Amino acid sequence: MLDLKAQYQSLRDEIRQAIDGVLDSQMCILGPAVRGFEEQIDEMIPPARTLGVSNGTDALLIALMALEVGPGDEVILPPFTFFATAAAVLRVGAKPVFVDIEEQTFNIDPDLIEQAVTPATKAIMPVHLFGQCAAMTPINAVARAHSLHVVEDAAQALGAKQNGTAACALGDIACVSFYPTKNLGAAGEAGLVATANPDLLERCRILRNQGMEPRYEHHYVGGNFRMDAIQGAVLGVKGRHLAEWNAKRAEHASLYDRLLGGASVTTPSTGEGNTHVYHQYTIRSARRDELKSFLADRGVGSDIHYPIPLHLQPCLRDHGDGAGNGAGDFPVAEQAAAEVLSLPIYPELTREKIEYVADSIRRFSGDA
Ligand SMILES: Cc1ncc(COP(=O)(O)O)c(C=O)c1O
């Protein structure tokens, strides 16, 4: 499914040198390595500016804290995403309000958002799932009409664009994850917050460090959300290759598209105006579980992102008290959860391997 060692080997000496630089300096938290990495990403996503933080989950938490989302507030988000998106909302004491997704892109359906807005709604949190942006023009229009904040969960989409604007510069504030399997992966945990609003950025900067500014004076209850300098140094080396790696992923995706054309599976669709960075190449099949085991028998890794939509998660679903959502509430997300299968995609993947995966899928479908 993924070979992280190949990428590490190609940059091994440079990464080790960068880590040595941090160890020699003994500036182990934030410091110049993190600042240098932030500046590198600032250039990629103008006019947004960034802050390196501890991980993507904390980035979401900081964004909501900075916007003062809390108890009594509602946040609109899709039910088809990684759990962390909803967890951040729950952690600040707010209520996640789910809105179903589009069948084509797996992203929140902008046409359904307005009807979910209530007087308690404080923010919309679109997720740029699998590496392509949610439809931000209509999302921002609803937000403007109801004075809501827009928090982009861009955990999977650094480098993606919509109509020429980078993911992270499309809403009020954005969050990225550098979990090692992401398109840009750290050597451990890391994430970032990005915003073009200087006041919001400053509030996030203070929240990142225990709400403290100046030293030992605490204006807010923040947290220890600081990025390790070693992660900043590693990401600084790897970040220089992100554009080229994302282009490779897109090349692989178009090869898959071509080889799977006419097969009995649905290949991914790209939304209007989107430049997709293919964090995942996710197909749909009505016989998904059988296909997954067929591929496993042929030595092909695949993964299900995600098998249970958030509204049906044990901690969020209706337990008979009418407090949660139930099966059938978000049919498009539920069908996606039953049909999706992510295929191997990473920059170092070879043409032969893609051909083998596609050939295996065609054999399964009786199309070969
Ligand atoms: C959509 C989404 N949101 C949030 C996160 C959380 O990021 P992290 O694992 O860095 O905390 C992830 C990463 O796994 C993600 O995919």
Side-chain angles (χ1 to χ4, degrees):
M1 183 65 186
L2 183 59
D3 180 4
L4 292 174
K5 286 185 185 164
Q7 190 169 89
Y8 174 62
Q9 282 309 324
S10 73
L11 296 172
R12 189 175 184 276
D13 292 344
E14 230 183 312
I15 287 176
R16 290 189 156 224
Q17 237 172 41
I19 292 174
D20 269 347
V22 171
L23 293 177
D24 288 340
S25 76
Q26 279 300 298
M27 294 185 69
C28 298
I29 295 167
L30 297 174
V34 171
R35 190 63 224 129
F37 172 61
E38 289 167 347
E39 282 166 4
Q40 197 183 106
I41 303 298
D42 290 350
E43 282 179 22
M44 272 180 57
I45 58 168
R49 310 259 322 264
T50 60
L51 291 167
V53 301
S54 34
N55 56 61
T57 306
D58 287 346
L60 292 166
L61 198 54
I62 296 168
L64 293 173
M65 289 165 86
L67 294 169
E68 298 184 291
V69 176
D73 295 331
E74 294 179 356
V75 177
I76 291 173
L77 73 159
F80 193 63
T81 171
F82 181 57
F83 185 75
T85 318
V89 176
L90 289 155
R91 283 251 169 261
V92 295
K95 179 181 172 194
V97 173
F98 298 113
V99 163
D100 213 346
I101 57 166
E102 299 176 317
E103 192 177 320
Q104 303 295 322
T105 63
F106 303 113
N107 281 329
I108 194 166
D109 187 337
D111 295 339
L112 303 178
I113 294 177
E114 190 135 36
Q115 65 203 57
V117 174
T118 74
T121 310
K122 190 90 183 258
I124 309 173
M125 218 160 153
V127 180
H128 303 326
L129 202 69
F130 302 151
Q132 72 168 322
C133 296
M136 295 303 289
T137 307
I139 291 171
N140 283 326
V142 177
R144 258 194 313 275
H146 296 273
S147 303
L148 308 175
H149 304 296
V150 176
V151 181
E152 300 174 68
D153 182 341
Q156 305 186 3
L158 188 61
K161 289 190 172 172
Q162 188 163 79
N163 300 316
T165 303
C168 294
L170 292 160
D172 296 316
I173 187 163
C175 307
V176 175
S177 164
F178 300 114
Y179 186 76
T181 58
K182 294 290 192 276
N183 291 25
L184 178 57
E189 302 279 1
L192 72 73
V193 176
T195 177
N197 176 332
D199 297 334
L200 202 51
L201 189 77
E202 179 60 6
R203 191 187 282 251
C204 290
R205 193 179 65 75
I206 295 171
L207 285 167
R208 172 175 72 171
N209 191 21
Q210 305 283 8
M212 178 171 81
E213 177 75 22
R215 202 158 184 237
Y216 300 133
E217 195 173 313
H218 299 262
H219 293 263
Y220 317 104
V221 181
N224 176 354
F225 300 132
R226 301 175 298 245
M227 184 189 271
D228 279 354
I230 284 181
Q231 301 310 334
V234 171
L235 288 165
V237 172
K238 293 179 77 175
R240 292 196 279 276
H241 301 272
L242 180 63
E244 148 209 337
W245 289 338
N246 281 344
K248 271 276 170 219
R249 285 172 180 267
E251 231 175 77
H252 298 334
S254 66
L255 181 56
Y256 269 132
D257 285 348
R258 219 156 2 101
L259 296 172
L260 292 172
S264 319
V265 293
T266 307
T267 53
S269 299
T270 302
E272 212 183 305
N274 273 352
T275 307
H276 199 319
V277 293
Y278 292 96
H279 174 55
Q280 300 295 349
Y281 183 89
T282 303
I283 61 169
R284 302 174 80 120
S285 163
R287 295 162 60 209
R288 188 265 315 277
D289 294 340
E290 282 171 75
L291 173 57
K292 187 173 188 341
S293 2
F294 181 85
L295 291 175
D297 290 344
R298 289 179 57 89
V300 176
S302 63
D303 213 342
I304 299 170
H305 303 109
Y306 297 92
I308 307 175
L310 300 191
H311 65 290
L312 300 180
Q313 290 294 341
C315 64
L316 292 180
R317 67 176 301 148
D318 187 359
H319 294 285
D321 53 3
N325 303 110
D329 285 355
F330 304 104
V332 186
E334 288 169 35
Q335 189 163 355
E339 294 185 347
V340 288
L341 191 65
S342 300
L343 304 179
I345 192 156
Y346 51 92
E348 301 74 19
L349 192 61
T350 60
R351 184 184 184 92
E352 292 67 35
K353 285 188 175 157
I354 295 171
E355 284 170 348
Y356 181 78
V357 176
D359 178 61
S360 302
I361 292 170
R362 298 186 73 94
R363 279 169 198 264
F364 170 80
S365 318
D367 304 318

